[in-house]
Amino acid sequence: MDKAIGLVEYKSVATGITAADDMAKTADVEIIEAQTVCPGKYIVLLSGKLSAVNSAIEKGISQYSDNVIDSFILGNPHESIYKAMNGTSEINDVEALGIIETFSAASIILAADTAAKTAKVNLIEIRIARGMCGKSYLLLTGELAAVEASINAGCKILEKSGMLLNKSVIPNPDKSIWEKIT
């Protein structure tokens, strides 16, 4: 595995910024996002070679463990993760709509990766804790059976950590709803 992403979610902005600096100095990683999220938490999302991401995330967790809410390291992430996180996915046709909602920022990316790798679906958006009081969600689309399988697989990962808040699958969503959410 040559490519990896990792994230640490902190309780404190000051700790998050300090940890981001330490992680960047620990290994050759690219910081994708380092920002505040609701309600006053801080996330650091980075990428690089798996060994570098491991080193940086390990440093960010061990050095600041009292302020860590959640974290992950993901080797070989699904290629659609990046566009979905940035809100730049181009989806022209929706057959069924799948939604997963989580209690943390880190857990939604793991669920999205699992869902995307389970069946032929398209990730639409991964909303990471912004404007949601720390919760996160993902939207995906595809054929109904594929969406159901992907949502179930993503939720199974979340049930282990207790971070699953809710899920839904909407067969053939109304056009007016689709236009409002994309």
Side-chain angles (χ1 to χ4, degrees):
M1 275 185 258
D2 194 28
K3 159 173 92 167
I5 59 174
L7 182 140
V8 184
E9 183 176 0
Y10 295 97
K11 297 176 191 175
S12 160
V13 173
T15 299
I17 294 170
T18 305
D21 181 66
D22 279 351
M23 287 189 276
K25 291 175 179 173
T26 297
D28 183 20
V29 292
E30 175 188 349
I31 295 181
I32 298 172
E33 287 187 32
Q35 64 185 18
T36 58
V37 293
C38 296
K41 300 184 302 183
Y42 200 85
I43 61 168
V44 181
L45 176 64
L46 45 88
S47 68
K49 290 187 176 185
L50 183 58
S51 59
V53 171
N54 271 324
S55 295
I57 295 293
E58 195 173 284
K59 174 76 170 191
I61 292 171
S62 65
Q63 192 75 20
Y64 305 97
S65 60
D66 290 348
N67 280 292
V68 173
I69 295 170
D70 201 1
S71 66
F72 76 84
I73 299 169
L74 183 60
N76 196 26
H78 193 273
E79 65 272 0
S80 64
I81 291 279
Y82 298 103
K83 285 185 175 185
M85 285 189 302
N86 293 326
T88 59
S89 297
E90 293 182 27
I91 309 296
N92 297 320
D93 188 31
V94 63
E95 295 178 50
L97 178 64
I99 308 156
I100 298 177
E101 189 176 3
T102 64
F103 287 110
S104 75
S107 61
I108 198 63
I109 298 172
L110 291 175
D113 185 65
T114 300
K117 290 177 178 174
T118 296
K120 186 178 178 185
V121 294
N122 295 306
L123 293 175
I124 300 167
E125 180 182 5
I126 302 171
R127 175 75 56 96
I128 306 172
R130 281 175 251 129
M132 297 188 54
C133 293
K135 298 184 298 180
S136 298
Y137 71 85
L138 71 83
L139 302 174
L140 58 82
T141 189
E143 292 181 7
L144 181 59
V147 168
E148 288 173 337
S150 292
I151 292 296
N152 289 335
C155 288
K156 192 171 189 172
I157 294 293
L158 296 169
E159 288 169 351
K160 294 176 187 176
S161 65
M163 290 293 166
L164 176 63
L165 175 60
N166 207 344
K167 68 175 181 170
S168 183
V169 174
I170 304 169
N172 195 25
D174 188 89
K175 185 178 178 181
S176 63
I177 294 297
W178 176 246
E179 289 170 356
K180 294 295 178 189
I181 62 173
T182 57

